[in-house]
Amino acid sequence: MAYSNIYLHVVWTTKGRFPFLDTPQLRNRVWKHLLNRCIRNNINIISIGGYSDHCHLLFRLSTNQKVGEIIMDLKGESANWINRIGLTRSKFQWQKDYWVESVNPKAINNIKKYIQIQESHHSK
């Protein structure tokens, strides 16, 4: 049986870093939607969060998953959902690119905490 112990921290931004996700309530709806999408797609999510112009995701990569496919699905489906239900005042878009870094399993809790404090970190 194959096993993966690869943890990834991914960050992607809104197009042009525009603050589309301008309220905590709106951000929480988007994070919850992304969390549910991860659960439905068997993505071993550890933490999700962000601020008005970006999203952080921490997860464990399974042996049969590809990082690019996961991120493109999450970004594409969530942008489609945001626009379909009219969550933002103008057409919502994520930036094309994303940043990803492997995480030492010993650092998981630190990264998780960092993601969880995004609201206070960026509101200063």
Side-chain angles (χ1 to χ4, degrees):
M1 178 178 198
Y3 177 77
S4 169
N5 198 32
I6 300 170
Y7 294 89
L8 299 173
H9 178 198
V10 184
V11 181
W12 65 86
T13 64
T14 58
K15 183 148 187 168
R17 293 203 71 123
F18 186 82
F20 284 106
L21 308 175
D22 56 0
T23 67
Q25 296 80 11
L26 177 57
R27 289 190 284 277
N28 287 334
R29 282 188 74 183
V30 173
W31 308 152
K32 185 176 179 181
H33 180 82
L34 285 165
L35 172 66
N36 288 332
R37 181 76 176 176
C38 287
I39 292 167
R40 282 193 306 275
N41 290 337
N42 296 314
I43 298 165
N44 188 349
I45 183 134
I46 298 164
S47 188
I48 190 163
Y51 201 60
S52 62
D53 64 351
H54 68 280
C55 178
H56 289 261
L57 178 68
L58 176 63
F59 69 101
R60 187 176 58 122
L61 188 67
S62 295
T63 57
N64 63 340
Q65 294 174 320
K66 295 179 182 174
V67 178
E69 289 177 5
I70 290 171
I71 304 310
M72 291 303 117
D73 174 71
L74 291 174
K75 287 169 56 180
E77 191 281 333
S78 63
N80 186 1
W81 172 76
I82 290 166
N83 288 319
R84 188 175 67 248
I85 66 169
L87 269 184
T88 56
R89 291 181 206 93
S90 57
K91 183 181 178 193
F92 179 86
Q93 291 179 289
W94 293 114
Q95 193 92 348
K96 272 184 167 181
D97 297 325
Y98 60 91
W99 171 88
V100 61
E101 182 174 59
S102 60
V103 176
N104 183 324
K106 294 175 183 175
I108 295 296
N109 286 334
N110 289 338
I111 301 297
K112 184 177 178 180
K113 286 176 190 171
Y114 175 72
I115 293 171
Q116 291 171 343
I117 64 159
Q118 286 296 295
E119 285 289 330
S120 61
H121 175 70
H122 287 287
S123 64
K124 293 177 182 174

